[in-house]
Amino acid sequence: MRYNPRAMKSVMVTGGAGFIGSNYVRFALERHPDWRIVVLDKFTYAGNPDNLKDIAERFKDRFTVVRGDIADREVVFETMRMHRVDIIINFAADTHVDRSLTEPGQFILTDVYGTYVLLEAAREFKVERYHQISTDEVYGDIPEPHRSREDDRLRGSSPYSASKAGGDLMCLAYHRSFGVPVTITRGTNNIGPYQYPEKVVPLFITNAIDNLPLPLYGDGKQMRDYQYVLDHCEGIDVVIERGVPGEVYNIGSGVETRNIDMARAILDLLGKPYTLIQPITDRPGHDRRYAVDISKVRALGWQPRHTFAQAIEKTVRWYVDNEWWWRKIKSGEFMEYYKRHYSGREVNLQLEL
Ligand code: NAD
Ligand code: TYD
Protein backbone atom coordinates (compact mmCIF):
# COMPACT_ATOMS: atom_id res chain seq x y z
CA MET A 1 0.00 0.00 0.00
CA ARG A 2 1.34 3.44 -0.98
CA TYR A 3 1.53 5.86 1.94
CA ASN A 4 -0.83 8.78 1.42
CA PRO A 5 -0.79 11.12 4.41
CA ARG A 6 -4.06 12.80 3.37
CA ALA A 7 -5.97 9.50 3.49
CA MET A 8 -4.76 8.92 7.04
CA LYS A 9 -6.77 9.79 10.14
CA SER A 10 -5.05 11.63 12.93
CA VAL A 11 -6.06 10.36 16.36
CA MET A 12 -5.00 11.91 19.68
CA VAL A 13 -5.03 9.37 22.52
CA THR A 14 -4.67 11.12 25.87
CA GLY A 15 -3.40 8.98 28.75
CA GLY A 16 -1.98 6.55 26.19
CA ALA A 17 1.02 5.72 28.40
CA GLY A 18 -1.19 4.23 31.12
CA PHE A 19 -2.65 0.76 31.45
CA ILE A 20 -5.73 0.73 29.21
CA GLY A 21 -4.51 3.55 26.97
CA SER A 22 -1.32 1.70 26.01
CA ASN A 23 -3.22 -1.53 25.36
CA TYR A 24 -5.65 0.46 23.21
CA VAL A 25 -2.89 2.20 21.22
CA ARG A 26 -1.21 -1.14 20.44
CA PHE A 27 -4.58 -2.63 19.43
CA ALA A 28 -5.63 0.41 17.33
CA LEU A 29 -2.35 0.74 15.41
CA GLU A 30 -2.74 -2.89 14.34
CA ARG A 31 -6.48 -2.65 13.65
CA HIS A 32 -6.38 0.67 11.73
CA PRO A 33 -3.50 0.92 9.23
CA ASP A 34 -4.94 4.29 8.21
CA TRP A 35 -4.53 5.84 11.68
CA ARG A 36 -1.69 8.02 12.89
CA ILE A 37 -1.72 8.20 16.66
CA VAL A 38 -0.33 10.93 18.87
CA VAL A 39 -0.29 10.08 22.57
CA LEU A 40 -0.60 13.10 24.88
CA ASP A 41 0.37 12.06 28.40
CA LYS A 42 1.59 13.82 31.53
CA PHE A 43 3.58 10.74 32.60
CA THR A 44 2.35 10.73 36.19
CA TYR A 45 3.49 7.83 38.40
CA ALA A 46 1.02 5.68 36.37
CA GLY A 47 2.28 6.75 32.93
CA ASN A 48 5.20 4.58 31.90
CA PRO A 49 7.34 4.70 28.72
CA ASP A 50 7.87 0.92 29.12
CA ASN A 51 4.16 0.44 28.33
CA LEU A 52 4.78 1.81 24.82
CA LYS A 53 8.31 0.51 24.22
CA ASP A 54 7.44 -2.14 21.62
CA ILE A 55 4.97 0.20 19.88
CA ALA A 56 7.51 3.00 19.53
CA GLU A 57 9.77 0.61 17.62
CA ARG A 58 7.14 -1.24 15.54
CA PHE A 59 5.05 1.74 14.44
CA LYS A 60 7.52 4.60 14.36
CA ASP A 61 6.10 6.04 11.08
CA ARG A 62 2.64 6.68 12.50
CA PHE A 63 3.11 6.99 16.23
CA THR A 64 4.28 9.98 18.30
CA VAL A 65 4.32 10.83 21.99
CA VAL A 66 3.88 14.32 23.45
CA ARG A 67 4.49 14.89 27.15
CA GLY A 68 1.83 17.25 28.48
CA ASP A 69 -1.13 17.83 30.77
CA ILE A 70 -4.70 17.66 29.39
CA ALA A 71 -5.56 20.49 31.78
CA ASP A 72 -3.00 22.74 30.01
CA ARG A 73 -4.92 24.49 27.23
CA GLU A 74 -1.79 25.64 25.40
CA VAL A 75 -0.27 22.16 25.12
CA VAL A 76 -3.59 20.62 24.12
CA PHE A 77 -4.37 23.22 21.44
CA GLU A 78 -0.80 23.15 20.09
CA THR A 79 -0.90 19.35 19.82
CA MET A 80 -4.26 19.55 18.02
CA ARG A 81 -2.83 22.09 15.54
CA MET A 82 0.50 20.36 14.95
CA HIS A 83 -1.05 16.95 14.38
CA ARG A 84 -4.28 18.12 12.69
CA VAL A 85 -6.27 15.85 14.96
CA ASP A 86 -9.53 14.32 13.62
CA ILE A 87 -10.48 12.18 16.63
CA ILE A 88 -9.80 12.61 20.36
CA ILE A 89 -9.95 9.56 22.65
CA ASN A 90 -9.56 10.52 26.30
CA PHE A 91 -8.10 7.88 28.64
CA ALA A 92 -6.17 10.43 30.74
CA ALA A 93 -7.30 10.45 34.35
CA ASP A 94 -6.25 10.05 37.90
CA THR A 95 -7.64 6.59 38.46
CA HIS A 96 -7.06 5.06 41.87
CA VAL A 97 -9.97 5.24 44.34
CA ASP A 98 -7.69 4.96 47.38
CA ARG A 99 -5.51 7.88 46.23
CA SER A 100 -8.64 9.96 45.55
CA LEU A 101 -9.50 9.65 49.24
CA THR A 102 -6.27 11.42 50.22
CA GLU A 103 -5.78 13.84 47.29
CA PRO A 104 -9.22 14.59 45.75
CA GLY A 105 -8.14 17.95 44.27
CA GLN A 106 -5.83 16.30 41.73
CA PHE A 107 -8.72 14.12 40.54
CA ILE A 108 -10.94 17.15 39.97
CA LEU A 109 -8.14 18.90 38.06
CA THR A 110 -7.56 16.08 35.60
CA ASP A 111 -10.85 14.18 35.43
CA VAL A 112 -13.17 17.22 35.34
CA TYR A 113 -11.14 20.30 34.34
CA GLY A 114 -8.88 18.32 31.97
CA THR A 115 -11.94 16.85 30.26
CA TYR A 116 -13.33 20.38 29.85
CA VAL A 117 -10.10 21.56 28.16
CA LEU A 118 -10.22 18.61 25.75
CA LEU A 119 -13.89 19.33 24.97
CA GLU A 120 -12.99 22.96 24.22
CA ALA A 121 -10.33 21.69 21.79
CA ALA A 122 -12.84 19.27 20.24
CA ARG A 123 -15.23 22.16 19.70
CA GLU A 124 -12.64 24.61 18.37
CA PHE A 125 -11.03 22.14 15.95
CA LYS A 126 -14.37 20.56 14.93
CA VAL A 127 -13.25 16.98 15.45
CA GLU A 128 -15.11 14.05 13.86
CA ARG A 129 -15.44 12.39 17.26
CA TYR A 130 -14.59 13.00 20.90
CA HIS A 131 -14.63 9.74 22.84
CA GLN A 132 -14.57 9.72 26.64
CA ILE A 133 -13.39 6.66 28.56
CA SER A 134 -15.49 6.44 31.69
CA THR A 135 -16.23 3.86 34.35
CA ASP A 136 -19.11 1.86 35.82
CA GLU A 137 -18.13 3.40 39.19
CA VAL A 138 -20.15 6.52 38.29
CA TYR A 139 -23.34 4.53 39.04
CA GLY A 140 -22.23 3.94 42.64
CA ASP A 141 -23.08 0.93 44.78
CA ILE A 142 -25.60 -1.32 43.00
CA PRO A 143 -27.97 -3.47 45.07
CA GLU A 144 -28.69 -6.95 43.71
CA PRO A 145 -30.19 -7.89 41.32
CA HIS A 146 -30.06 -4.55 39.45
CA ARG A 147 -27.61 -4.01 36.58
CA SER A 148 -26.79 -0.41 35.76
CA ARG A 149 -28.21 0.93 32.54
CA GLU A 150 -26.74 3.90 30.74
CA ASP A 151 -29.55 6.27 31.74
CA ASP A 152 -29.43 5.37 35.45
CA ARG A 153 -28.68 8.17 37.91
CA LEU A 154 -25.02 8.91 38.63
CA ARG A 155 -24.10 8.46 42.30
CA GLY A 156 -20.30 8.28 42.54
CA SER A 157 -19.22 7.25 46.05
CA SER A 158 -15.56 8.32 45.97
CA PRO A 159 -13.86 11.52 44.80
CA TYR A 160 -12.59 9.41 41.86
CA SER A 161 -16.03 8.27 40.72
CA ALA A 162 -17.58 11.68 41.41
CA SER A 163 -14.89 13.33 39.25
CA LYS A 164 -15.44 10.81 36.45
CA ALA A 165 -19.19 11.50 36.65
CA GLY A 166 -18.41 15.23 36.38
CA GLY A 167 -16.38 14.53 33.24
CA ASP A 168 -19.24 12.50 31.74
CA LEU A 169 -21.78 15.25 32.40
CA MET A 170 -19.50 17.86 30.82
CA CYS A 171 -19.19 15.66 27.69
CA LEU A 172 -22.98 15.35 27.41
CA ALA A 173 -23.37 19.11 27.96
CA TYR A 174 -20.90 19.85 25.14
CA HIS A 175 -22.88 17.55 22.89
CA ARG A 176 -26.20 19.16 23.70
CA SER A 177 -25.07 22.80 23.87
CA PHE A 178 -22.42 22.91 21.18
CA GLY A 179 -23.05 19.83 19.02
CA VAL A 180 -19.66 18.25 19.77
CA PRO A 181 -19.92 14.63 18.50
CA VAL A 182 -19.26 12.94 21.81
CA THR A 183 -19.55 9.28 22.74
CA ILE A 184 -18.87 7.80 26.18
CA THR A 185 -18.06 4.25 27.25
CA ARG A 186 -18.37 3.16 30.87
CA GLY A 187 -16.08 0.21 31.39
CA THR A 188 -15.96 -2.19 34.32
CA ASN A 189 -12.70 -3.16 36.12
CA ASN A 190 -10.03 -4.07 33.56
CA ILE A 191 -7.33 -6.68 34.05
CA GLY A 192 -4.37 -7.61 31.86
CA PRO A 193 -0.83 -6.54 30.90
CA TYR A 194 0.75 -3.23 32.03
CA GLN A 195 -1.61 -2.43 34.92
CA TYR A 196 0.08 -0.38 37.64
CA PRO A 197 0.39 -2.68 40.68
CA GLU A 198 -1.54 -0.40 43.06
CA LYS A 199 -4.69 -1.91 41.50
CA VAL A 200 -5.89 -5.04 43.18
CA VAL A 201 -5.24 -7.73 40.56
CA PRO A 202 -1.60 -6.91 39.67
CA LEU A 203 -0.96 -6.15 43.37
CA PHE A 204 -2.22 -9.57 44.44
CA ILE A 205 -0.39 -11.41 41.62
CA THR A 206 2.98 -9.76 42.23
CA ASN A 207 2.68 -10.06 46.04
CA ALA A 208 1.77 -13.75 45.68
CA ILE A 209 4.78 -14.38 43.41
CA ASP A 210 6.97 -13.01 46.23
CA ASN A 211 5.04 -14.89 48.98
CA LEU A 212 3.84 -11.56 50.45
CA PRO A 213 0.37 -11.08 52.01
CA LEU A 214 -2.60 -10.20 49.78
CA PRO A 215 -4.28 -7.26 51.60
CA LEU A 216 -8.01 -7.92 51.19
CA TYR A 217 -10.37 -5.11 52.23
CA GLY A 218 -13.16 -5.95 54.67
CA ASP A 219 -14.85 -9.32 54.24
CA GLY A 220 -13.77 -9.68 50.58
CA LYS A 221 -17.36 -10.19 49.44
CA GLN A 222 -17.45 -7.05 47.32
CA MET A 223 -18.35 -7.81 43.71
CA ARG A 224 -16.59 -6.47 40.64
CA ASP A 225 -17.00 -7.23 36.93
CA TYR A 226 -13.38 -8.00 35.97
CA GLN A 227 -13.03 -7.81 32.18
CA TYR A 228 -9.98 -8.53 30.01
CA VAL A 229 -8.46 -5.24 28.85
CA LEU A 230 -8.43 -6.18 25.15
CA ASP A 231 -12.15 -6.96 25.23
CA HIS A 232 -12.65 -3.44 26.57
CA CYS A 233 -10.38 -2.00 23.83
CA GLU A 234 -12.41 -3.77 21.14
CA GLY A 235 -15.63 -2.42 22.65
CA ILE A 236 -14.25 1.14 22.64
CA ASP A 237 -13.32 0.74 18.98
CA VAL A 238 -16.79 -0.51 18.07
CA VAL A 239 -18.40 2.47 19.81
CA ILE A 240 -16.08 4.92 18.04
CA GLU A 241 -16.99 3.31 14.69
CA ARG A 242 -20.68 2.54 15.20
CA GLY A 243 -21.84 4.42 18.30
CA VAL A 244 -24.27 7.32 18.06
CA PRO A 245 -23.01 10.78 19.14
CA GLY A 246 -24.56 11.89 22.43
CA GLU A 247 -24.90 8.28 23.61
CA VAL A 248 -23.31 6.34 26.47
CA TYR A 249 -22.41 2.61 26.31
CA ASN A 250 -21.52 0.27 29.17
CA ILE A 251 -18.73 -2.22 28.44
CA GLY A 252 -18.03 -5.22 30.67
CA SER A 253 -18.11 -8.99 30.85
CA GLY A 254 -21.58 -8.95 32.42
CA VAL A 255 -20.33 -11.36 35.13
CA GLU A 256 -19.47 -10.36 38.71
CA THR A 257 -16.85 -12.03 40.89
CA ARG A 258 -16.30 -11.58 44.62
CA ASN A 259 -12.87 -10.21 45.55
CA ILE A 260 -12.20 -13.21 47.75
CA ASP A 261 -12.82 -15.52 44.77
CA MET A 262 -10.57 -13.40 42.55
CA ALA A 263 -7.81 -13.70 45.19
CA ARG A 264 -8.27 -17.47 45.41
CA ALA A 265 -8.19 -17.83 41.61
CA ILE A 266 -4.81 -16.02 41.54
CA LEU A 267 -3.39 -18.21 44.33
CA ASP A 268 -4.65 -21.38 42.61
CA LEU A 269 -2.99 -20.39 39.33
CA LEU A 270 0.30 -19.66 41.10
CA GLY A 271 0.12 -22.77 43.35
CA LYS A 272 0.26 -20.62 46.51
CA PRO A 273 -1.64 -21.15 49.80
CA TYR A 274 -4.83 -19.26 50.71
CA THR A 275 -3.15 -18.34 54.00
CA LEU A 276 -1.45 -15.51 52.06
CA ILE A 277 -4.80 -13.68 52.08
CA GLN A 278 -4.61 -11.03 54.82
CA PRO A 279 -7.86 -9.26 55.76
CA ILE A 280 -7.32 -5.55 56.45
CA THR A 281 -9.59 -2.66 57.47
CA ASP A 282 -12.05 -1.72 54.77
CA ARG A 283 -11.79 1.22 52.35
CA PRO A 284 -13.98 4.17 53.47
CA GLY A 285 -17.15 4.39 51.39
CA HIS A 286 -16.30 1.07 49.68
CA ASP A 287 -18.92 0.14 47.07
CA ARG A 288 -20.13 -3.44 47.63
CA ARG A 289 -21.19 -4.21 44.11
CA TYR A 290 -20.87 -2.96 40.55
CA ALA A 291 -22.81 -4.66 37.78
CA VAL A 292 -23.70 -3.39 34.32
CA ASP A 293 -26.23 -4.19 31.65
CA ILE A 294 -24.27 -4.56 28.39
CA SER A 295 -27.16 -5.03 25.96
CA LYS A 296 -26.69 -1.59 24.36
CA VAL A 297 -23.10 -2.23 23.25
CA ARG A 298 -23.98 -5.81 22.29
CA ALA A 299 -26.56 -4.35 19.89
CA LEU A 300 -23.64 -2.65 18.06
CA GLY A 301 -22.18 -6.11 17.37
CA TRP A 302 -19.64 -6.36 20.21
CA GLN A 303 -19.35 -9.13 22.76
CA PRO A 304 -16.75 -10.03 25.40
CA ARG A 305 -14.36 -12.76 24.26
CA HIS A 306 -12.90 -13.82 27.62
CA THR A 307 -14.56 -15.50 30.59
CA PHE A 308 -13.27 -14.49 34.04
CA ALA A 309 -11.25 -17.75 34.19
CA GLN A 310 -9.57 -17.01 30.83
CA ALA A 311 -8.94 -13.35 31.66
CA ILE A 312 -7.33 -14.04 35.03
CA GLU A 313 -5.26 -16.93 33.61
CA LYS A 314 -3.81 -14.75 30.81
CA THR A 315 -3.22 -11.92 33.25
CA VAL A 316 -1.37 -14.07 35.80
CA ARG A 317 0.75 -15.55 33.01
CA TRP A 318 1.75 -12.08 31.76
CA TYR A 319 3.01 -10.93 35.19
CA VAL A 320 4.87 -14.22 35.66
CA ASP A 321 6.55 -13.73 32.26
CA ASN A 322 7.22 -9.98 32.61
CA GLU A 323 9.02 -9.39 35.88
CA TRP A 324 11.24 -6.86 34.03
CA TRP A 325 8.18 -4.62 33.81
CA TRP A 326 6.81 -4.69 37.39
CA ARG A 327 9.92 -5.21 39.56
CA LYS A 328 11.17 -1.74 38.54
CA ILE A 329 7.85 -0.19 39.55
CA LYS A 330 7.57 -1.98 42.89
CA SER A 331 10.34 0.09 44.42
CA GLY A 332 10.80 3.79 45.23
CA GLU A 333 7.54 5.82 45.06
CA PHE A 334 5.44 2.69 45.01
CA MET A 335 6.92 1.21 48.18
CA GLU A 336 6.45 4.51 50.00
CA TYR A 337 2.80 4.56 48.96
CA TYR A 338 2.44 0.90 49.95
CA LYS A 339 3.79 1.44 53.46
CA ARG A 340 1.75 4.60 53.96
CA HIS A 341 -1.44 3.00 52.75
CA TYR A 342 -1.28 -0.52 54.20
CA SER A 343 0.78 -0.38 57.43
CA GLY A 344 -1.06 -1.36 60.61
CA ARG A 345 -4.36 -2.24 58.89
CA GLU A 346 -4.26 -6.00 59.50
CA VAL A 347 -7.38 -7.38 61.20
CA ASN A 348 -8.11 -10.77 62.67
CA LEU A 349 -11.05 -11.92 60.62
CA GLN A 350 -12.04 -15.51 59.90
CA LEU A 351 -12.75 -15.46 56.16
CA GLU A 352 -15.11 -17.93 54.54
CA LEU A 353 -12.62 -19.57 52.23
P1 NAD B 1 -3.81 4.57 34.52
O1 NAD B 1 -3.78 5.23 35.85
O2 NAD B 1 -3.07 3.30 34.32
O3 NAD B 1 -3.27 5.60 33.41
C1 NAD B 1 -3.67 6.94 33.35
C2 NAD B 1 -2.78 7.64 32.33
O4 NAD B 1 -3.20 9.01 32.24
C3 NAD B 1 -1.29 7.66 32.73
O5 NAD B 1 -0.50 7.41 31.60
C4 NAD B 1 -1.09 9.08 33.24
O6 NAD B 1 0.25 9.54 33.09
C5 NAD B 1 -2.06 9.84 32.36
N1 NAD B 1 -2.49 11.12 32.98
C6 NAD B 1 -2.93 11.33 34.24
N2 NAD B 1 -3.22 12.63 34.42
C7 NAD B 1 -2.96 13.26 33.24
C8 NAD B 1 -3.08 14.60 32.79
N3 NAD B 1 -3.52 15.57 33.61
N4 NAD B 1 -2.75 14.88 31.52
C9 NAD B 1 -2.30 13.91 30.68
N5 NAD B 1 -2.16 12.62 31.05
C10 NAD B 1 -2.50 12.30 32.32
O7 NAD B 1 -5.35 4.42 34.16
P2 NAD B 1 -6.13 3.26 33.40
O8 NAD B 1 -6.47 2.20 34.36
O9 NAD B 1 -5.43 2.93 32.14
O10 NAD B 1 -7.48 4.05 33.06
C11 NAD B 1 -7.62 4.76 31.85
C12 NAD B 1 -9.01 5.34 31.76
O11 NAD B 1 -9.98 4.30 31.85
C13 NAD B 1 -9.34 6.32 32.89
O12 NAD B 1 -10.11 7.36 32.35
C14 NAD B 1 -10.16 5.49 33.85
O13 NAD B 1 -11.06 6.31 34.59
C15 NAD B 1 -10.89 4.56 32.90
N6 NAD B 1 -11.28 3.26 33.45
C16 NAD B 1 -10.37 2.46 34.06
C17 NAD B 1 -10.76 1.20 34.50
C18 NAD B 1 -9.78 0.23 35.12
O14 NAD B 1 -10.18 -0.84 35.55
N7 NAD B 1 -8.50 0.52 35.15
C19 NAD B 1 -12.09 0.78 34.35
C20 NAD B 1 -12.99 1.65 33.72
C21 NAD B 1 -12.57 2.88 33.26
P1 TYD C 1 -9.28 -1.52 42.67
O1 TYD C 1 -8.36 -2.35 41.81
O2 TYD C 1 -8.70 -0.42 43.50
O3 TYD C 1 -10.42 -0.98 41.69
P2 TYD C 1 -11.81 -0.22 42.06
O4 TYD C 1 -11.82 0.16 43.47
O5 TYD C 1 -11.70 0.95 41.15
O6 TYD C 1 -12.90 -1.18 41.69
O7 TYD C 1 -10.07 -2.48 43.65
C1 TYD C 1 -10.88 -3.53 43.18
C2 TYD C 1 -11.52 -4.19 44.38
O8 TYD C 1 -10.51 -4.77 45.20
C3 TYD C 1 -12.28 -3.21 45.25
O9 TYD C 1 -13.47 -3.86 45.74
C4 TYD C 1 -11.31 -2.94 46.39
C5 TYD C 1 -10.56 -4.24 46.53
N1 TYD C 1 -9.15 -4.11 46.98
C6 TYD C 1 -8.68 -4.91 48.03
O10 TYD C 1 -9.42 -5.75 48.58
N2 TYD C 1 -7.38 -4.76 48.41
C7 TYD C 1 -6.53 -3.87 47.84
O11 TYD C 1 -5.35 -3.78 48.24
C8 TYD C 1 -7.03 -3.06 46.77
C9 TYD C 1 -6.15 -2.05 46.09
C10 TYD C 1 -8.34 -3.21 46.38
Side-chain angles (χ1 to χ4, degrees):
M1 190 177 75
R2 188 180 285 268
Y3 176 69
N4 174 1
R6 268 173 311 177
M8 303 286 283
K9 280 232 180 302
S10 176
V11 180
M12 180 167 82
V13 178
T14 56
F19 162 47
I20 310 177
S22 64
N23 276 286
Y24 180 76
V25 169
R26 187 174 293 103
F27 164 87
L29 283 165
E30 270 165 19
R31 170 68 65 96
H32 303 285
D34 60 334
W35 279 18
R36 275 188 288 116
I37 293 185
V38 52
V39 162
L40 174 65
D41 200 294
K42 187 178 167 185
F43 289 92
T44 66
Y45 73 93
N48 183 350
D50 279 350
N51 298 359
L52 297 168
K53 207 168 153 190
D54 59 315
I55 301 173
E57 284 157 20
R58 271 173 62 205
F59 296 101
K60 55 177 177 294
D61 295 349
R62 48 195 187 91
F63 173 67
T64 322
V65 178
V66 174
R67 182 182 288 262
D69 189 334
I70 59 162
D72 181 340
R73 187 185 168 98
E74 241 175 72
V75 172
V76 169
F77 276 54
E78 183 55 22
T79 309
M80 295 289 296
R81 240 189 310 275
M82 281 267 298
H83 294 270
R84 298 166 159 222
V85 171
D86 302 303
I87 298 174
I88 301 175
I89 310 175
N90 179 29
F91 290 87
D94 271 298
T95 59
H96 194 39
V97 172
D98 292 324
R99 292 193 195 241
S100 81
L101 297 168
T102 54
E103 42 182 321
Q106 186 52 51
F107 284 72
I108 298 165
L109 279 178
T110 291
D111 303 10
V112 185
Y113 189 82
T115 298
Y116 146 74
V117 173
L118 292 175
L119 287 165
E120 277 290 295
R123 181 183 173 199
E124 172 79 20
F125 290 88
K126 299 187 172 48
V127 295
E128 275 172 36
R129 178 65 64 87
Y130 174 94
H131 185 74
Q132 176 80 350
I133 309 299
S134 185
T135 165
D136 63 347
E137 301 196 24
V138 296
Y139 300 119
D141 211 348
I142 306 304
E144 289 193 63
H146 185 66
R147 300 185 157 275
S148 305
R149 295 180 58 88
E150 288 81 353
D151 52 5
D152 281 358
R153 266 184 63 185
L154 305 188
R155 300 171 188 260
S157 306
S158 68
Y160 164 64
S161 47
S163 303
K164 291 296 292 185
D168 284 16
L169 293 175
M170 198 58 75
C171 290
L172 295 174
Y174 267 65
H175 173 70
R176 169 133 185 168
S177 299
F178 307 121
V180 176
V182 163
T183 41
I184 299 175
T185 45
R186 297 195 179 128
T188 62
N189 289 60
N190 283 222
I191 59 173
Y194 303 105
Q195 185 168 29
Y196 192 82
E198 67 187 352
K199 302 289 175 2
V200 72
V201 167
L203 178 70
F204 282 11
I205 296 170
T206 56
N207 275 14
I209 290 173
D210 285 345
N211 300 309
L212 294 170
L214 276 47
L216 186 71
Y217 293 161
D219 62 5
K221 291 185 189 163
Q222 307 84 6
M223 317 269 272
R224 293 291 184 270
D225 173 335
Y226 290 103
Q227 65 173 324
Y228 195 62
V229 63
L230 287 175
D231 286 347
H232 185 204
C233 291
E234 255 188 295
I236 291 166
D237 218 52
V238 165
V239 170
I240 291 170
E241 275 181 0
R242 291 176 229 156
V244 177
E247 293 292 320
V248 180
Y249 299 85
N250 292 333
I251 302 180
S253 71
V255 176
E256 304 108 66
T257 304
R258 299 187 316 172
N259 286 335
I260 180 85
D261 298 325
M262 171 273 292
R264 291 196 312 181
I266 290 171
L267 293 169
D268 286 343
L269 286 162
L270 290 169
K272 303 278 179 167
Y274 293 163
T275 48
L276 280 179
I277 298 175
Q278 171 63 64
I280 65 168
T281 53
D282 208 348
R283 165 189 284 171
H286 196 171
D287 288 331
R288 290 294 285 181
R289 175 173 177 264
Y290 300 138
V292 290
D293 180 324
I294 53 171
S295 45
K296 192 168 169 185
V297 69
R298 274 186 187 278
L300 295 181
W302 172 89
Q303 56 178 24
R305 290 182 195 268
H306 295 79
T307 61
F308 173 73
Q310 291 165 332
I312 198 78
E313 205 261 319
K314 269 196 185 177
T315 302
V316 168
R317 198 179 329 133
W318 191 84
Y319 290 88
V320 167
D321 292 343
N322 289 279
E323 291 198 10
W324 71 272
W325 183 82
W326 59 265
R327 285 217 180 272
K328 275 194 240 179
I329 298 172
K330 282 188 108 181
S331 62
E333 196 275 347
F334 178 84
M335 287 318 291
E336 274 166 39
Y337 163 78
Y338 194 81
K339 278 190 217 130
R340 215 171 43 237
H341 184 66
Y342 290 100
S343 297
R345 290 180 63 179
E346 294 83 356
V347 288
N348 233 337
L349 187 74
Q350 212 52 41
L351 291 173
E352 287 168 36
L353 294 174

